[in-house]
Amino acid sequence: MKRFAGWLLSAPAILVVVLCLVVPVTLTIVATLGGPTGVFAPYLSFFASGFRRTVLWRTLQVSLLTTAIALVIGFLTAYVISRAPGWLKSILIIAAVFPLLTGVVVRSFAWLIILGKNGILNSALLSIGVISQPLTMLYTQGAVITAMVYLFVPLMILTLSGVLESIPDDLLQASASLGAKPSATFLQVILPLSVPGLIVGAVLVFTGSFTAYATPQLIGGESQMVMGTLMYQQAMVTFDWVSASTIATIMVVITITVVLLMTRVARRLNPLAV
Amino acid sequence: MTRSVHPALIVLAGLVFIFLVGPLIIVVGAALSNTTYLTFPPQGLSLRWFSKIFEIEAFRRTMVTSLQLALLSTALALLVGIPAAYALNRFRIQLPGWLSTLFVLPVLVPELVLGFSLLRSIAVDLDAPIFLSLVIGHTLLVLPYVVRVISASLASFDFSIEEAAISLGSPPLKSFFTIVLPNVRSGVIAAFILCFITSINDVSISIFLTGPGISTLPIQILAHVEQFFDPTIASVSVLLMALTVGVMAIVERTLGLTFLTK
């Protein structure tokens, strides 16, 4: 009876996810297999193309760098948040939450105004005489990474400040009273205890930036094509749906592998779990 | 214990603050400029770009579509998500463990892949109307928030209260609405807000599901930026930010902002 009630109540949600997500996504993946020229033909042609290999490599590079930079900035900021007095804490949390609730398009657009040829950064650098010609900053890998870091740092800060807040004060007091310097407490107590949180944050940022669309499209354009923008172009501009499905499948495989692998690693590295 | 933080870290926090908030202030400044091109600091203050938004038919239309879409998909996700979250907590022992993983799938599968797959299967193969495909996509997008947030609220709910009501003769459905639901009210509000904001800002799913005549506001903004680089976009962005401020005020008043760090 209870089993029946449980299934009955979750049935609508199960149906929605299975019929509208599992089935369509499976069909997309299946569409890439078993073509007339062999089972893995679309993948062979993906990896045979130098351009596509470059795009995949660039996407990996951009998302790994974004993750690394966001980890450092996010962890230090979250550390300050966890140790800061109340007022500073609220200001920093608001500063992190507000961008997070603002859309991707708006946040990427801001960087168009900053990094453009006649943008704020160029005007500022010109007026103080550091440069004599406006620099080309948009449509470079650096610009894409900057905008992506901007996009994901708030997520990292919020994930990590949750983790840091949950470290009991007693532990830090114990460490200090046993004679550890603040830097030693940070490196030997706080950092190891934060490793699982750091991994969760890194996974969120990596998968997010690996599959991003709006930011690379606006800030990187054609010259900085990544997997997301390539997939859109294949699907909606050249209407090569097999190729788009292939890119989609590669994205799914990489995302899910990273998530599964890293959650396992995080569980193993958790010093509090025995 | 004194909570001392190294001064260098305070400086760093200040820089991060500027990094996070600065770009958004620049957008607001650019929206207020009286020039025909995007610039900061604004030259001459004017609100004319705000009135311009409402003169452009595409913006008016997509704004309405985005609001309808966000409300409809949030409502649908709550409708199917709340019973599921309830079942997951109430009948945890009777239901298999993979069920909660199933409801996280929409987060695991990249949004672009979901959008493209819905285009292939639902919009093209089944010939479904574009708006319906958008509603399906956004409902899936926000469903995990509903299940997760409501489950978190239900985790601290004592189901024996509900059982007491039922054993005293209250019908199960009535018990749910008068006893369980009021206890997870803040969870429902939080879920609603997260869903609404997520839907209204979505690009990656909608980008594949906008056809002739139907588009959402973020997609329209993207298309506009690529053609014209004028302050209208900055003022639309400010409108969206105002919406966010409103939502944050509601979160702060009902749940407190620290809620979001949990």
Side-chain angles (χ1 to χ4, degrees):
Chain A
M1 179 55 209
K2 276 192 162 180
R3 178 184 289 262
F4 178 72
W7 282 112
L8 192 68
L9 286 170
S10 37
I14 297 175
L15 277 179
V16 170
V17 176
V18 170
L19 289 182
C20 303
L21 185 136
V22 178
V23 172
V25 171
T26 310
L27 287 176
T28 300
I29 295 172
V30 168
T32 65
L33 303 169
T37 44
V39 181
F40 293 109
Y43 297 93
L44 294 178
S45 83
F46 179 92
F47 287 103
S49 149
F51 172 68
R52 287 170 200 203
R53 280 203 311 268
T54 313
V55 170
L56 177 59
W57 176 235
R58 181 187 296 129
T59 316
L60 285 170
Q61 232 176 337
V62 167
S63 26
L64 285 173
L65 279 169
T66 303
T67 309
I69 299 170
L71 265 180
V72 174
I73 300 179
F75 188 59
L76 292 176
T77 315
Y79 177 66
V80 176
I81 289 179
S82 72
R83 315 288 297 147
W87 62 273
L88 185 59
K89 190 181 282 193
S90 345
I91 289 180
L92 283 171
I93 289 185
I94 290 174
V97 171
F98 186 67
L100 200 64
L101 295 178
T102 311
V104 181
V105 176
V106 174
R107 286 191 281 162
S108 311
F109 168 69
W111 288 94
L112 278 183
I113 312 180
I114 299 173
L115 299 174
K117 198 132 223 159
N118 304 310
I120 296 162
L121 200 55
N122 265 326
S123 322
L125 291 176
L126 282 172
S127 68
I128 56 170
V130 178
I131 50 170
S132 54
Q133 288 286 323
L135 301 171
T136 308
M137 286 182 281
L138 275 184
Y139 313 120
T140 61
Q141 189 160 326
V144 177
I145 294 174
T146 308
M148 295 267 241
V149 168
Y150 178 68
L151 208 60
F152 289 111
V153 156
L155 191 64
M156 196 67 106
I157 292 177
L158 291 182
T159 309
L160 293 177
S161 59
V163 174
L164 288 173
E165 291 284 348
S166 70
I167 296 178
D169 245 8
D170 303 357
L171 277 181
L172 310 182
Q173 284 171 15
S175 162
S177 71
L178 290 170
K181 277 186 260 165
S183 58
T185 305
F186 180 80
L187 289 174
Q188 292 172 22
V189 180
I190 297 177
L191 196 59
L193 284 172
S194 315
V195 166
L198 288 168
I199 293 177
V200 171
V203 168
L204 285 176
V205 174
F206 177 81
T207 53
S209 44
F210 187 73
T211 61
Y213 172 78
T215 309
Q217 171 70 17
L218 277 177
I219 307 290
E222 294 268 312
S223 60
Q224 293 296 322
M225 203 169 254
V226 291
M227 291 294 272
T229 46
L230 178 65
M231 179 185 157
Y232 179 77
Q233 190 229 37
Q234 294 292 309
M236 306 305 268
V237 182
T238 52
F239 291 105
D240 185 346
W241 280 17
V242 172
S243 162
S245 305
T246 310
I247 299 167
T249 309
I250 295 175
M251 291 208 295
V252 171
V253 170
I254 291 186
T255 314
I256 292 187
T257 312
V258 168
V259 171
L260 293 181
L261 204 72
M262 294 316 274
T263 14
R264 195 148 296 177
V265 173
R267 208 169 295 154
R268 184 158 300 176
L269 288 180
N270 188 352
L272 290 181
V274 185
Chain B
M1 182 190 162
T2 51
R3 297 202 130 203
S4 64
V5 182
H6 198 277
L9 283 176
I10 304 271
V11 173
L12 176 114
L15 289 176
V16 171
F17 182 81
I18 295 171
F19 176 64
L20 289 176
V21 178
L24 297 176
I25 292 175
I26 289 169
V27 174
V28 176
L32 294 173
S33 182
N34 196 15
T35 50
T36 52
Y37 50 92
L38 275 165
T39 182
F40 185 89
Q43 296 170 5
L45 289 177
S46 122
L47 289 174
R48 68 168 166 142
W49 294 104
F50 284 93
S51 56
K52 184 90 191 292
I53 308 170
F54 297 98
E55 283 166 25
I56 301 176
E57 201 264 332
F59 279 127
R60 279 204 317 258
R61 187 163 35 86
T62 52
M63 235 179 265
V64 174
T65 310
S66 276
L67 283 173
Q68 286 172 334
L69 181 61
L71 288 173
L72 202 58
S73 49
T74 302
L76 280 174
L78 287 171
L79 202 65
V80 300
I82 293 178
Y86 174 83
L88 282 179
N89 283 275
R90 179 81 169 73
F91 307 110
R92 186 175 303 139
I93 312 149
Q94 287 86 8
L95 293 173
W98 54 261
L99 207 54
S100 47
T101 315
L102 183 77
F103 298 132
V104 195
L105 269 187
V107 182
L108 229 54
V109 173
E111 281 177 45
L112 280 175
V113 175
L114 180 56
F116 175 61
S117 302
L118 287 173
L119 169 73
R120 286 183 72 244
S121 304
I122 300 203
V124 173
D125 287 354
L126 296 180
D127 210 14
I130 287 291
F131 188 71
L132 178 66
S133 316
L134 273 172
V135 171
I136 293 174
H138 282 227
T139 305
L140 283 167
L141 174 70
V142 299
L143 183 64
Y145 294 104
V146 175
V147 176
R148 198 185 302 163
V149 173
I150 305 283
S151 288
S153 320
L154 280 172
S156 57
F157 176 71
D158 184 358
F159 283 102
S160 58
I161 307 174
E162 190 199 12
E163 276 162 23
I166 294 175
S167 69
L168 289 172
S170 162
L173 206 60
K174 192 185 170 205
S175 317
F176 176 79
F177 280 106
T178 55
I179 291 161
V180 184
L181 210 51
N183 272 293
V184 294
R185 200 178 54 106
S186 61
V188 177
I189 298 172
F192 180 87
I193 286 167
L194 280 174
C195 295
F196 186 82
I197 287 288
T198 308
S199 163
I200 208 129
N201 285 323
D202 175 73
V203 172
S204 293
I205 290 184
S206 314
I207 191 87
F208 288 101
L209 299 172
T210 46
I214 288 200
S215 187
T216 66
L217 187 57
I219 305 298
Q220 180 59 34
I221 296 179
L222 265 184
H224 193 93
V225 175
E226 283 172 0
Q227 284 172 33
F228 322 93
F229 199 59
D230 64 24
T232 356
I233 295 301
S235 36
V236 181
S237 306
V238 172
L239 279 190
L240 279 172
M241 277 192 246
L243 189 74
T244 311
V245 173
V247 164
M248 271 179 87
I250 299 173
V251 174
E252 172 63 32
R253 291 197 61 177
T254 50
L255 310 161
L257 274 178
T258 45
F259 165 81
L260 288 154
T261 63
K262 278 172 201 158

